[in-house]
Amino acid sequence: VMGSLEGAVDERPLSRVRIAEPFWIGTLEVTNAQFAKFNAAHDSRVESKNTYQFGIHGYPMNQPEQPVVRVSWNEATAFCRWLSEKTGRQFSLPTEAQWEYACRAGSITAFSWGDDPANADAYAWHGANSNGTYQKVGIKKPNAWGLYDMHGNVAEWTLDCWHDSYRR
């Protein structure tokens, strides 16, 4: 079941969807180091929103272990095509349904860790705990399926286009 009864309007109504085939999804967000193998000229241009030059764990902005940002949907799909050619395996962005299924990790709660947003600090980087910048991937607790940063840090692209209802 996708969506939320209490979330934003574009998360309603709750809708039953079917994932047609099994799929794999990355354990971590794509990092600057990984993306640089595809496009060495890409600069995530991460800027801290505070006066410090370093993230809360003491490493400078735009580090290899931080998630790549400022990548368009076209660049993200080109990265997937390149990775497919390099490895001989098929890679693509997940559909929104696949991403939400992986994020929920079998839960039926508002978040993969439960319904209480007060527990977010253990699982997600967000405005109140990120020191105003992106953080190294994989530091917070994973969801029940071992996937990190499914809530917070950066937003992820999906294969399908956004629309205002799951019923399209």
Side-chain angles (χ1 to χ4, degrees), residues 70-130:
R70 297 188 179 171
V71 172
S72 71
W73 185 89
N74 288 333
E75 289 171 306
T77 57
F79 173 78
C80 292
R81 281 192 307 275
W82 170 83
L83 191 56
S84 296
E85 291 169 8
K86 286 295 261 188
T87 64
R89 295 182 174 207
Q90 186 62 40
F91 288 86
S92 70
L93 296 174
T95 66
E96 184 178 1
Q98 288 171 328
W99 186 90
E100 187 165 336
Y101 178 72
C103 180
R104 289 181 177 277
S107 70
I108 57 169
T109 54
F111 306 99
S112 62
W113 66 80
D115 286 318
D116 189 353
N119 294 327
D121 284 358
Y123 294 89
W125 292 112
H126 53 83
N129 73 355
S130 66

Side-chain angles (χ1 to χ4, degrees), residues 9-136:
V9 171
D10 63 354
E11 294 177 354
R12 299 180 201 153
L14 286 176
S15 300
R16 184 171 299 277
V17 296
R18 177 168 298 212
I19 307 289
E21 298 187 19
F23 66 96
W24 293 91
I25 194 164
T27 305
L28 301 166
E29 294 164 318
V30 174
T31 65
N32 285 317
Q34 291 169 321
F35 198 80
K37 292 177 182 177
F38 162 67
N39 180 357
H42 179 77
D43 180 1
S44 287
R45 298 187 320 272
V46 173
E47 300 166 6
S48 178
K49 294 178 184 171
N50 59 40
T51 58
Y52 298 101
Q53 293 292 315
F54 294 89
I56 63 173
H57 291 288
Y59 50 86
M61 305 300 105
N62 288 316
Q63 288 300 293
E65 306 87 8
Q66 288 175 316
V68 66
V69 295
R70 297 188 179 171
V71 172
S72 71
W73 185 89
N74 288 333
E75 289 171 306
T77 57
F79 173 78
C80 292
R81 281 192 307 275
W82 170 83
L83 191 56
S84 296
E85 291 169 8
K86 286 295 261 188
T87 64
R89 295 182 174 207
Q90 186 62 40
F91 288 86
S92 70
L93 296 174
T95 66
E96 184 178 1
Q98 288 171 328
W99 186 90
E100 187 165 336
Y101 178 72
C103 180
R104 289 181 177 277
S107 70
I108 57 169
T109 54
F111 306 99
S112 62
W113 66 80
D115 286 318
D116 189 353
N119 294 327
D121 284 358
Y123 294 89
W125 292 112
H126 53 83
N129 73 355
S130 66
N131 204 32
T133 194
Y134 307 111
Q135 298 298 322
K136 181 178 176 180

Side-chain angles (χ1 to χ4, degrees), residues 26-28 105 141-148 150:
T27 305
L28 301 166
K141 288 182 180 180
N143 69 15
W145 291 350
L147 305 175
Y148 293 83
M150 296 302 285

